[in-house]
């Protein structure tokens, strides 16, 4: 399977170096929840939700193609009948090519519109479960959005690079990246993925588990944004030194009227058990598939966690308990992938021989 793909109508190297003086290098973490853009030499310059608002039943992006990111997220769940706010990568697959392209192109233009004459070189990290056709669509969108060269890299590779793991060395590194729509688990060595698994259970499923719990236990409907707040404020995977409580508001399913109630971290932990177990099982399954030598390295090197979902209280310790391997959070887990894409750009000459595969010749 292709680990990272590259294709371009390549100008000669010397010409490209000159062009580089007049353009920027951009790394994009195209996530199911959030898109981050890093510019080489500047760090992260954009961090917005992967959301697009369109006129219902069409692919027409509102506000002249600018209803993307924060502007669109504010509309989620509150849209009048004529508008839909779409997350085009929600489950780790591209549900709509045109909308994904509109989003990507908006972000690239926003970052590149800084007085540069030539298009940027762009590295985009994509969920590892997307198909070749979807990769191609992302790739073409970047070119159409004005990229001079585009490279695709699989998300766990970018996460491992961003986390500073020795992914090019002859030793095993393991990353668990829990996003909104997908959890990516990978064991890498010598700049390549040895074993990986992408499951469609991640942060969104935790929110959904909370919504279902509120319905079942309190006959109360809450929105996705409220559920996410509950998860972040009081959610956990393991008992807390001091259990927490929180007041939530929603709609009573029987009377139909707004009301509030107080919930506890114990009950939310119980509600989150199913998605947490599915994530832990993906981790143990991946470990079971690793070659013994790689598994042996991991006893020392342990597991690193990235992505917003890894911030759920107690999740690293639960994974550590289930696997017996030292498990820790990468530095700044939410920006790991974006930072990794930028580091990849710096080392592209060195790493692309092992990582790339032409998708276009
Ligand atoms: N402190 C937190 N605790 C638990 N979940 C969190 C926390 N912060 C963010 N998240 C969740 O992380 C997910 C987004 O993570 P991210 O890595 O940006 O996803 P993606 O890469 O798929 O875009 C969302 O489900 C969000 O609710
Ligand atoms: Mg991600």
């Amino acid at each position: 399977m292709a680990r990272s793909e590259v294709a371009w109508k390549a100008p000669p190297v010397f010409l490209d170096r000159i062009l580089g003086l007049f353009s920027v290098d951009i790394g994009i973490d195209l996530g199911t929840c959030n898109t981050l853009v890093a510019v080489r030499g500047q760090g992260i310059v954009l961090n917005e939700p992967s959301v697009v608002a369109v006129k219902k039943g069409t692919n027409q992006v509102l506000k002249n193609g600018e209803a993307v990111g924060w502007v669109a997220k504010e509309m989620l769940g509150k849209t009048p009948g004529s508008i839909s706010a779409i997350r085009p990568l929600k489950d780790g697959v591209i549900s709509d090519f045109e909308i994904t392209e509109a989003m990507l192109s908006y972000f690239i233009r926003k970052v590149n519109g800084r007085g540069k004459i030539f298009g940027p070189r762009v590295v985009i990290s994509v969920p590892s479960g997307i198909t070749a056709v979807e990769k191609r669509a992302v790739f073409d969108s970047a070119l159409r959005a004005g990229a001079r060269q585009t490279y695709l890299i699989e998300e766990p590779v970018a996460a491992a690079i961003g986390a500073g793991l020795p992914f090019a060395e002859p030793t095993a590194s393991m990353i668990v990246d829990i996003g909104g729509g997908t959890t990516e688990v990978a064991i890498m060595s010598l700049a390549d993925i040895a074993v990986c698994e992408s499951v469609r259970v991640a942060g969104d499923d935790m929110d959904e588990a909370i919504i279902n719990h509120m319905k079942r236990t309190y006959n109360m409907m809450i929105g996705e944004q409220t559920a996410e707040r509950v998860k972040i404020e009081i959610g956990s995977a393991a008992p807390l030194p001091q259990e927490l409580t929180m007041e939530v508001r929603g709609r009573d399913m029987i009377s139909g009227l707004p009301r509030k109630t107080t919930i506890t971290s114990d009950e939310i932990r119980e509600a989150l058990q199913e998605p947490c177990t599915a994530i832990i099982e993906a981790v143990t399954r991946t470990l079971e598939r690793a070659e013994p030598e790689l598994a042996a390295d991991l006893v020392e090197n342990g597991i690193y966690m990235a992505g917003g979902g890894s911030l759920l209280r107690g999740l690293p310790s639960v994974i550590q308990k289930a696997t017996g391997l030292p498990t820790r959070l990468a530095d700044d887990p939410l920006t790991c992938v974006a930072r990794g894409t930028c580091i990849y750009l710096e080392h592209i000459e060195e790493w692309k021989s092992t990582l790339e595969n032409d998708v276009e010749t």
Side-chain angles (χ1 to χ4, degrees):
M1 200 207 328
R3 296 301 168 212
S4 166
E5 289 163 11
V6 56
W8 71 96
K9 301 277 189 276
V13 170
F14 73 92
L15 182 59
D16 197 51
R17 293 227 168 104
I18 293 170
L19 287 176
L21 297 174
F22 301 97
S23 78
V24 289
D25 281 345
I26 296 180
I28 302 178
D29 167 8
L30 187 60
T32 64
C33 265
N34 298 299
T35 297
L36 280 77
V37 182
V39 170
R40 190 167 163 186
Q42 292 177 28
I44 295 183
V45 297
L46 182 147
N47 183 349
E48 300 209 28
S50 309
V51 182
V52 182
V54 296
K55 195 166 164 207
K56 200 165 211 146
T58 72
N59 285 334
Q60 198 184 323
V61 182
L62 298 172
K63 301 196 176 175
N64 288 329
E66 311 252 298
V68 179
W70 289 115
V71 177
K73 173 136 189 196
E74 291 189 349
M75 298 177 174
L76 258 185
K78 295 184 188 162
T79 50
S82 59
I83 297 177
S84 16
I86 296 175
R87 284 177 52 195
L89 289 144
K90 192 166 191 266
D91 299 308
V93 291
I94 295 181
S95 60
D96 190 303
F97 291 154
E98 272 181 56
I99 293 173
T100 307
E101 175 165 344
M103 183 173 87
L104 198 54
S105 139
Y106 171 79
F107 290 139
I108 293 177
R109 279 184 281 121
K110 202 166 172 183
V111 170
N112 199 47
R114 303 189 170 184
K116 293 290 183 182
I117 304 164
F118 299 105
R121 284 200 308 174
V122 180
V123 169
I124 306 175
S125 107
V126 291
S128 64
I130 74 171
T131 63
V133 173
E134 291 171 325
K135 283 183 181 169
R136 180 79 225 191
V138 171
F139 182 86
D140 290 344
S141 306
L143 289 184
R144 276 198 291 270
R148 179 168 97 251
Q149 284 180 11
T150 302
Y151 305 83
L152 299 190
I153 174 174
E154 290 191 12
E155 189 166 333
V157 173
I161 298 173
L165 304 190
F167 104 114
E169 312 279 318
T171 184
S173 308
M174 181 161 183
I175 193 98
V176 179
D177 177 0
I178 309 172
T182 59
T183 293
E184 318 246 340
V185 187
I187 299 174
M188 279 153 281
S189 162
L190 291 169
D192 202 357
I193 294 180
V195 205
C196 75
E197 183 161 332
S198 171
V199 290
R200 286 179 194 171
V201 180
D204 291 341
D205 301 83
M206 297 181 193
D207 301 348
E208 210 178 296
I210 294 173
I211 292 176
N212 290 336
H213 169 75
M214 294 307 292
K215 271 193 214 156
R216 264 199 317 267
T217 315
Y218 298 98
N219 278 321
M220 192 170 159
M221 291 283 283
I222 60 165
E224 283 173 20
Q225 315 227 35
T226 301
E228 184 183 25
R229 264 202 314 277
V230 170
K231 171 183 70 178
I232 293 175
E233 267 185 45
I234 65 168
S236 62
L240 302 175
Q242 192 164 10
E243 297 296 342
L244 306 164
T245 61
M246 180 178 170
E247 189 181 272
V248 288
R249 290 144 207 258
R251 186 159 54 84
D252 190 282
M253 288 164 70
I254 298 164
S255 72
L257 297 174
R259 86 173 157 92
K260 59 186 184 184
T261 186
T262 300
I263 54 174
T264 68
S265 49
D266 301 74
E267 61 182 297
I268 296 305
R269 182 162 56 248
E270 181 77 28
L272 293 178
Q273 204 171 2
E274 201 177 307
C276 287
T277 305
I279 291 169
I280 294 163
E281 282 171 1
V283 174
T284 51
R285 263 198 313 274
T286 308
L287 279 167
E288 282 160 15
R289 286 166 51 213
E291 294 292 333
E293 290 296 339
L294 293 180
D297 290 342
L298 292 174
V299 174
E300 283 295 319
N301 301 347
I303 302 175
Y304 282 78
M305 295 182 67
S310 66
L311 294 170
L312 183 74
R313 290 175 190 77
L315 195 49
S317 70
V318 172
I319 292 184
Q320 169 152 330
K321 205 162 155 208
T323 58
L325 299 176
T327 304
R328 60 213 129 202
L329 282 183
D331 284 341
D332 202 359
L334 278 159
T335 62
C336 230
V337 171
R339 287 183 288 111
T341 55
C342 240
I343 300 172
Y344 177 76
L345 263 170
E346 281 162 27
H347 294 265
I348 207 147
E349 293 306 323
E350 199 182 317
W351 288 341
K352 76 179 184 194
S353 58
T354 38
L355 282 165
E356 81 180 34
N357 255 316
D358 282 13
V359 292
E360 189 180 74
T361 47

